[in-house]
Amino acid sequence: MSPAPRKRSRAAARFTYPVLLSLLGTVLYATAPAQAAAVTLEAESARLSGGAAVSTDHGGYTGTGFVGGFTDANKGAASVSFGVTAEAAGNGTVTLRYANGTGATMTLSLYVNGAKVRQVSLPATANWDTWATRQESVTYAKGANTVAWTFTTADSGNVNIDNATAATSTGGTGTPTPSGALEAESAQLSGGAVAGSDHTGWTGTGFVGGFTDANKGSASASFGVNSAEAGAGAVTLRYANGTGATMTLSLYVNGAKVRQVSLPATANWDTWATVQEAVTYAKGANTVAWTFTTADSGNVNIDSITPATPTEPTDPGGPATLTHQAEDAFVSGGPARATAATGYEGSAYLSGFTTTGARAVFAVAAPSAATYPVTVRYRTPDTAASTVTLLANGTTVRRLTLPGTGGAWKSASTDAPLRAALNHVTLRTASGDNGTLQLDGIGVSGSTPGSTRGATLPYTTYEAESGSTNAGSVGPDRTYLTVPSEASGRKAVVLDATGEYVQFTLTKPANALTLRYSVPDNAAGTGIDSTLSVYADGTQLRDLAVSSKYSWVYGGYPYTNDPSQGSGHHFFDETRTLLTGTLPAGTVLKFQKDAADTAASYTLDLVETEAVPAALTMPSTGFVSATTLGVTPNDAGDDTSALNSAISTATSQGKGLWLPTGTYDISGHVDLAGADVRGAGQWYTVLRGKNGKGGLFGRGGTSNVQDLMIAGDVSYRDDADFDAAIEGDFGNGSTLTNLWIEHTKVGLWIDAPTTGLYASGLRIRDTFADGVNLHKGTKTTEVSHSSVRNTGDDGLAMFSEAQAVTDSVFRFNTVQLPLLANTVGIYGGHGNRVEDNLLADTVTGSSGIAISSRFAPVPFSGTTSVQRNTLTRTGGYEPNWQSKLGALWIYADSSDITAPVLVKDNEILDSTYSGLLVSWQKNVSALTVDGLKIDKAGSYGIEINSAGAGTFSRVTVGGAAAGGLSAAGGFTITRGAGNTGW
């Protein structure tokens, strides 16, 4: 097909809406004598007919509800009609706020005064709680008008409507000028740019065209913008692009080119869209120009611009509204917690941003995808401005110029685009920034609190044993080599006859699910493939593919795939699927063994459902697509060499590599050395291993990897030959976020001299060795907000082999069902921490948390901190030693543990054996236990078989089967206040 012809039309530039209003997703118009203000009309107050009805069962709506009922049952009838009064006849707009969680673009028909204007396409939103807007040009009569959205027989419907904003005629052919906007027709025009009015939908008295090929390299519209302060701001361009393709113009501020800006196609030349760009303003007069350079494709029209200029920072004069304290952020590259100043909020602030690469990363949860207001509370030592760069989920938002505060704490406002659920918001000293600030924290208006313990996760979990079923169940049982011992909560449901099912009622909308299950192995140990039927409200959705290829190992450690060795275990695996359309809350989701589902049995443990957003798109700048560099997804060919070449090429150009939606097959290491590799999302971009091989290997430098899945091909443990998903040296200040890892030897195996690695938002499932191992010499690294389940060894480990792992932390993670070893193991090292985690269901040779000198690590130094963790059904039997291991195990094995170990504000629930175990032949001489709750221990509450000494305060023991305390070995207990039950 040939490209769509370009309209040779005049073009101009101008800004749209103030930053604060655009952040709130609200479109307001200035009231002036010559024009009417736009009016937002709530759908629940409109005239409803044909089955349209008011509802409140989704979130995010305005007013008191929204209108649904645009369902297939009401096709041809459902309608919502608004009354609109116009001061004059003429052109205007109507903006519809709607939700479309179906996963596909749907349509309604727009009527004005009883006449159909057009069928309107309404693209899918992330879910039914996420709202979008669609603006349409219409012609109003003077006086009373009716504007209706109707589900005709020609439409696909199935959307919800929240409100409509009507901008009525001013008596000309345009729409009202947005508040704060500068009209392009009033700008300084040059190079062929000229005012026009031969299209509709513009604001003011016209628009500017002339950005045509005949004027390439010269056409420009320049605006004067006054700014009260120097600093970071934004400019929003309202434009029309009826060419059918994305076009570009270049943005200049004060004569300097800022960047080339992409302007996606609009529906036609009468339809207008906006783009917002971050800019830095000087104090006083500025010029902002949109120019058709020789590097641009031009051929757009410009209606207006709306500048958002920086303002003098405010002094809160009291407690700041900080949602995220600086002392809780992950820091690397220089910032450190400080307390020398006064007037800060919380327990500390951060100082030391002057080195390039210095950063503070905040984990921010958001209820939906939107742009959120962000407040930065900071101070500078003098009156000079400080510059620092704001990033959201790895993408630069803008450089912030923060006016000097002369030592006072003040707040500056900006904004950031966030995703639904977990986000990573970073303040980083980039090249060109001076970083001369101290940071008290940030406030993100509209964000939601993260979890207080465990990971902030995007899905809802339904345990099979809590569902409705006509089948039998297994468990509870913690006996090694039994199926329920490996089930979450030690219970599961077994479907072993046709017609048996388990079902759940969804509490939240979902368009994706992950099922944890077990099916039998075959005699060769190579696995069987089968299906399981999935229904929604009684209608079959699909056959879900299941397999035992990646489960079932046999014999003794390190285990094999040979059933003749007996002792089968590692029973469970997981399968995931994206659904067609979104299931609303209240849907009954059923998993059933039908006649065509041929496995002898299906043991179902749990299902996780979530609302997966649409695939991400490549950032507009700084990236090159792998498909343009010789990498072809979905062709079943080996992409290892092509990916290595593409990463090398992109990195040499100073760009990141974008991996579009698809599957990329790899059979070896994909090397990273200061690379930025991004995918379209965990559900869309997949690196798929082969024959136990395939993964990412760090070879130094600062790398970023995010938004993709690594699906290995490991079906048993082979430490010498098989690959980890991610391993090696990740240099200084690398980031690994929003990654899904499964069926690999190890999830992350990180080695020296890695420093300041931030790994967050990971799902690590069904590995055959560790989930994460921070290995010898790793420093100041954090793993947080990650789900780790069904590992073949420690879920999370720090192993100070030959070199100390230093000042690193596991925090806010959810770790379940390591089949061997511990949910968390710390083996030697300096000043490491385990904080705010949920840890559950260990199986064999295991504790919940092990602080251990086993495996002859570098001895402990500094303070090892274990704080605010919850351990549930942890601890286990070690058959090689015939020993019963406690839930929290302080184990002095190859060397004494003489450095301080702080155990504070933890809880141990339903431990298999003793709650706290201190052992063995060496000394544990500086143990502090403060604020420990032990409830329902299978043996002693506290068991000590070691020499040494410790102080215990606020330790409560209840329901311990063998008693509160067993102490031997000459350990000296100093009792503080608040102890009970032992």
Side-chain angles (χ1 to χ4, degrees):
M1 179 182 292
S2 300
R6 296 178 182 171
K7 169 115 184 242
R8 308 301 187 193
S9 184
R10 295 177 293 273
R14 89 176 177 192
F15 299 82
T16 52
Y17 314 109
V19 163
L20 179 59
L21 298 181
S22 67
L23 291 176
L24 297 175
T26 305
V27 183
L28 298 179
Y29 294 81
T31 301
Q35 61 191 41
V39 177
T40 297
L41 306 168
E42 293 293 341
E44 63 271 23
S45 301
R47 181 179 178 182
L48 310 181
S49 60
V54 178
S55 185
T56 59
D57 58 333
H58 296 296
Y61 56 81
T62 61
T64 60
F66 62 89
V67 170
F70 289 83
T71 58
D72 289 342
N74 298 320
K75 187 180 183 79
S79 184
V80 56
S81 180
F82 301 86
V84 177
T85 301
E87 294 181 8
N91 293 335
T93 63
V94 61
T95 302
L96 180 72
R97 189 170 193 260
Y98 72 94
N100 171 10
T102 67
T105 297
M106 310 304 281
T107 63
L108 291 178
S109 290
L110 171 62
Y111 288 75
V112 174
N113 297 324
K116 182 174 178 177
V117 178
R118 66 186 66 92
Q119 185 183 68
V120 177
S121 294
L122 302 172
T125 54
N127 51 50
W128 290 105
D129 299 308
T130 302
W131 301 83
T133 58
R134 177 75 183 196
Q135 186 181 85
E136 295 294 318
S137 300
V138 297
T139 300
Y140 290 104
K142 183 177 181 179
N145 296 260
T146 59
V147 177
W149 296 85
T150 301
F151 186 5
T152 73
T153 55
D155 293 315
S156 49
N158 288 275
V159 299
N160 293 331
I161 292 178
D162 182 31
N163 62 43
T165 299
T168 55
S169 173
T170 63
T173 58
T175 62
T177 300
S179 177
L182 304 174
E183 292 293 343
E185 62 270 23
S186 301
Q188 182 177 344
L189 308 180
S190 60
V194 61
S197 59
D198 56 329
H199 296 295
T200 62
W202 37 261
T203 62
T205 61
F207 63 89
V208 168
F211 288 83
T212 59
D213 289 343
N215 297 320
K216 187 181 182 78
S218 60
S220 184
S222 181
F223 301 80
V225 176
N226 285 311
S227 179
E229 295 292 334
V235 60
T236 302
L237 175 70
R238 189 172 192 257
Y239 72 95
N241 171 12
T243 67
T246 297
M247 312 303 281
T248 62
L249 291 178
S250 290
L251 170 62
Y252 287 76
V253 174
N254 297 324
K257 183 174 178 178
V258 178
R259 67 185 66 89
Q260 185 182 69
V261 178
S262 295
L263 303 171
T266 55
N268 50 50
W269 290 104
D270 299 309
T271 303
W272 301 82
T274 60
V275 293
Q276 185 183 86
E277 296 293 319
V279 297
T280 300
Y281 291 102
K283 185 174 183 178
N286 295 261
T287 60
V288 176
W290 294 87
T291 301
F292 185 4
T293 72
T294 56
D296 293 314
S297 49
N299 289 274
V300 299
N301 293 331
I302 292 177
D303 182 33
S304 67
I305 67 168
T306 299
T309 56
T311 58
E312 173 70 22
T314 60
D315 183 353
T321 55
L322 299 182
T323 56
H324 297 78
Q325 295 288 340
E327 63 269 24
D328 295 328
F330 169 75
V331 297
S332 68
R337 292 162 181 81
T339 58
T342 59
Y344 58 86
E345 188 177 318
S347 61
Y349 58 93
L350 294 176
S351 184
F353 284 89
T354 55
T355 302
T356 298
R359 62 174 174 165
V361 185
F362 299 88
V364 179
S368 60
T371 299
Y372 289 78
V374 176
T375 298
V376 179
R377 191 169 195 258
Y378 72 100
R379 71 174 197 160
T380 62
D382 50 37
T383 58
S386 175
T387 58
V388 68
T389 297
L390 174 69
L391 301 92
N393 298 311
T395 298
T396 297
V397 177
R398 63 183 59 90
R399 171 172 288 170
L400 302 179
T401 300
L402 304 172
T405 70
W409 292 104
K410 294 191 176 183
S411 295
S413 297
T414 182
D415 62 83
L418 302 183
R419 305 171 182 176
L422 182 67
N423 296 267
H424 310 288
V425 176
T426 302
L427 289 173
R428 183 178 185 272
T429 304
S431 177
D433 289 332
N434 61 36
T436 55
L437 76 154
Q438 294 175 337
L439 180 65
D440 191 20
I442 64 172
V444 183
S445 298
S447 64
T448 54
S451 60
T452 56
R453 291 192 185 182
T456 295
L457 300 169
Y459 51 78
T460 302
T461 301
Y462 304 86
E463 293 282 352
E465 64 271 20
S466 299
S468 173
T469 184
N470 62 353
S473 62
V474 293
D477 191 347
R478 304 187 196 187
T479 306
Y480 180 47
L481 306 183
T482 65
V483 171
S485 73
E486 297 184 21
S488 171
R490 316 303 177 120
K491 298 178 182 178
V493 171
V494 181
L495 312 182
D496 56 9
T498 299
E500 290 187 341
Y501 66 85
V502 62
Q503 64 186 26
F504 316 88
T505 300
L506 299 185
T507 60
K508 296 180 181 179
N511 64 358
L513 64 87
T514 302
L515 177 70
R516 187 168 194 261
Y517 67 93
S518 176
V519 294
D521 203 2
N522 62 5
T526 54
I528 66 167
D529 296 326
S530 188
T531 58
L532 181 65
S533 299
V534 184
Y535 294 80
D537 289 337
T539 300
Q540 186 170 7
L541 296 177
R542 63 182 56 194
D543 291 330
L544 194 62
V546 296
S547 175
S548 57
K549 176 180 178 180
Y550 298 107
S551 52
W552 292 88
V553 294
Y554 303 92
Y557 174 86
Y559 315 115
T560 70
N561 226 9
D562 182 1
S564 69
Q565 296 189 13
S567 300
H569 61 287
H570 197 272
F571 304 112
F572 286 90
D573 195 13
E574 298 181 14
T575 185
R576 69 176 194 170
T577 188
L578 273 172
L579 305 174
T580 301
T582 298
L583 305 177
T587 299
V588 177
L589 184 66
K590 179 168 67 175
F591 299 84
Q592 179 170 290
K593 176 175 166 51
D594 286 346
D597 301 326
T598 57
S601 64
Y602 301 81
T603 303
L604 306 189
D605 183 25
L606 56 82
V607 63
E608 293 162 343
T609 64
E610 59 190 289
V612 176
L616 301 170
T617 57
M618 186 171 75
S620 58
T621 59
F623 278 81
V624 59
S625 174
T627 58
T628 67
L629 297 177
V631 185
T632 304
N634 303 320
D635 64 352
D638 192 330
D639 297 306
T640 311
S641 177
L643 281 169
N644 275 310
S645 176
I647 289 172
S648 178
T649 298
T651 303
S652 70
Q653 296 174 356
K655 295 182 178 180
L657 184 70
W658 174 257
L659 300 179
T661 296
T663 297
Y664 302 79
D665 291 289
I666 55 176
S667 60
H669 287 147
V670 176
D671 294 330
L672 307 176
D676 193 346
V677 178
R678 303 191 193 187
Q682 295 178 346
W683 287 84
Y684 300 104
T685 298
V686 180
L687 300 179
R688 183 170 63 189
K690 182 178 181 181
N691 297 327
K693 297 287 192 176
L696 304 179
F697 201 97
R699 299 190 182 276
T702 301
S703 292
N704 174 67
V705 183
Q706 66 183 66
D707 299 317
L708 54 84
M709 180 188 200
I710 302 174
D713 189 36
V714 174
S715 58
Y716 62 95
R717 183 164 179 169
D718 186 339
D719 289 348
D721 193 39
F722 291 161
D723 287 344
I726 299 175
E727 61 183 307
D729 163 25
F730 281 83
N732 196 331
S734 292
T735 303
L736 306 172
T737 54
N738 301 322
L739 304 175
W740 190 319
I741 294 168
E742 68 179 19
H743 302 154
T744 59
K745 179 179 69 177
V746 176
L748 274 57
W749 187 279
I750 307 299
D751 272 313
T754 300
T755 301
L757 170 67
Y758 178 69
S760 187
L762 312 179
R763 295 190 219 193
I764 300 176
R765 309 286 173 78
D766 309 312
T767 64
F768 286 83
D770 297 331
V772 173
N773 194 307
L774 304 184
H775 194 217
K776 57 182 180 182
T778 300
K779 297 179 180 178
T780 56
T781 287
E782 174 176 310
V783 179
S784 62
H785 290 289
S786 296
S787 167
V788 181
R789 184 165 64 219
N790 202 36
T791 59
D793 213 307
D794 287 318
L796 302 173
M798 299 184 197
F799 181 22
S800 295
E801 183 181 29
Q803 303 174 51
V805 176
T806 301
D807 296 330
S808 295
V809 60
F810 297 138
R811 65 172 183 157
F812 292 107
N813 299 292
T814 299
V815 187
Q816 304 162 280
L817 291 156
L819 300 185
L820 174 68
N822 319 291
T823 49
V824 176
I826 309 297
Y827 305 101
H830 175 84
N832 298 308
R833 295 150 42 216
V834 182
E835 299 175 347
D836 305 295
N837 301 289
L838 291 178
L839 312 170
D841 293 326
T842 56
V843 179
T844 188
S846 57
S847 61
I849 299 175
I851 306 300
S852 173
S853 61
R854 190 181 181 189
F855 309 119
V858 172
F860 286 95
S861 60
T863 298
T864 300
S865 172
V866 179
Q867 297 195 63
R868 300 178 303 278
N869 303 283
T870 297
L871 295 77
T872 305
R873 297 181 298 274
T874 58
Y877 188 70
E878 170 51 80
N880 296 303
W881 303 341
Q882 298 183 9
S883 297
K884 299 175 180 179
L885 305 184
L888 175 55
W889 185 24
I890 315 297
Y891 181 40
D893 180 30
S894 63
S895 63
D896 294 336
I897 301 177
T898 58
V901 175
L902 173 63
V903 177
K904 187 175 182 180
D905 294 331
N906 299 279
E907 55 183 1
I908 297 173
L909 310 177
D910 196 12
S911 58
T912 303
Y913 299 112
S914 294
L916 171 63
L917 173 64
V918 183
S919 68
W920 176 232
Q921 302 177 72
K922 301 289 195 282
N923 287 347
V924 178
S925 57
L927 174 64
T928 299
V929 181
D930 182 13
L932 174 62
K933 174 185 176 181
I934 300 173
D935 184 35
K936 195 181 175 183
S939 184
Y940 295 100
I942 301 170
E943 181 179 0
I944 301 175
N945 300 306
S946 174
T951 300
F952 294 73
S953 304
R954 298 187 301 124
V955 178
T956 63
V957 176
L965 174 66
S966 173
F971 190 91
T972 300
I973 296 174
T974 299
R975 293 177 178 266
N979 298 306
T980 61
W982 61 286

